[in-house]
Amino acid sequence: RCSRVGQFMVGGAGLKQHVNYNISCTNAGPLGEALKLTLGCLKEGFNFYQSTTATPMEDGPKSCDPQSCMYQCATLRFTTKLGLEMPDGEDEISCVVIDAYDEVRIHP
């Protein structure tokens, strides 16, 4: 299974890609303090796109309006697993997806 954004390759002279991230601490209840990581990626200003699921012969690049955009955002929480310590004294890390957002707006 793939995100909607992952189903397209985009390009063009006006392509702008913005990548943002934020790292913070949060309370994870009985798990204690946790690290929270939020990642975001916006692609805009492109004027062609192509499906990643078809071969170039089947589905070559298609033109689109530069107002088209694609956006992905995910928030992850990292904690140590309670009561699980590895033999070498290191904790095992657990990663949980708190939220994920995926949007594609391609205007012909």
Side-chain angles (χ1 to χ4, degrees):
R1 186 173 162 211
C2 182
S3 68
R4 291 200 51 207
V5 171
Q7 296 175 6
F8 298 98
M9 292 184 298
V10 297
L15 174 62
K16 294 179 187 170
Q17 298 185 78
H18 309 274
V19 178
N20 295 304
Y21 66 92
N22 183 52
I23 299 172
S24 61
C25 291
T26 186
N27 185 340
L31 298 174
E33 190 174 60
L35 178 72
K36 186 167 76 168
L37 173 63
T38 302
L39 303 165
C41 179
L42 170 67
K43 294 181 181 184
E44 61 183 351
F46 52 91
N47 56 16
F48 73 85
Y49 69 99
Q50 184 171 349
S51 170
T52 60
T53 58
T55 65
M57 296 289 283
E58 295 172 343
D59 188 21
K62 296 179 181 174
S63 296
C64 62
D65 188 298
Q67 295 298 313
S68 300
C69 65
M70 299 193 312
Y71 180 71
Q72 282 184 303
C73 183
T75 302
L76 310 172
R77 184 185 72 200
F78 297 90
T79 57
T80 55
K81 291 188 177 180
L82 282 178
L84 292 178
E85 190 173 291
M86 304 304 278
D88 58 6
E90 295 183 14
D91 292 327
E92 188 172 328
I93 304 296
S94 172
C95 178
V96 175
V97 176
I98 296 173
D99 188 29
Y101 181 74
D102 185 40
E103 182 177 355
V104 175
R105 291 187 200 169
I106 295 180
H107 306 289

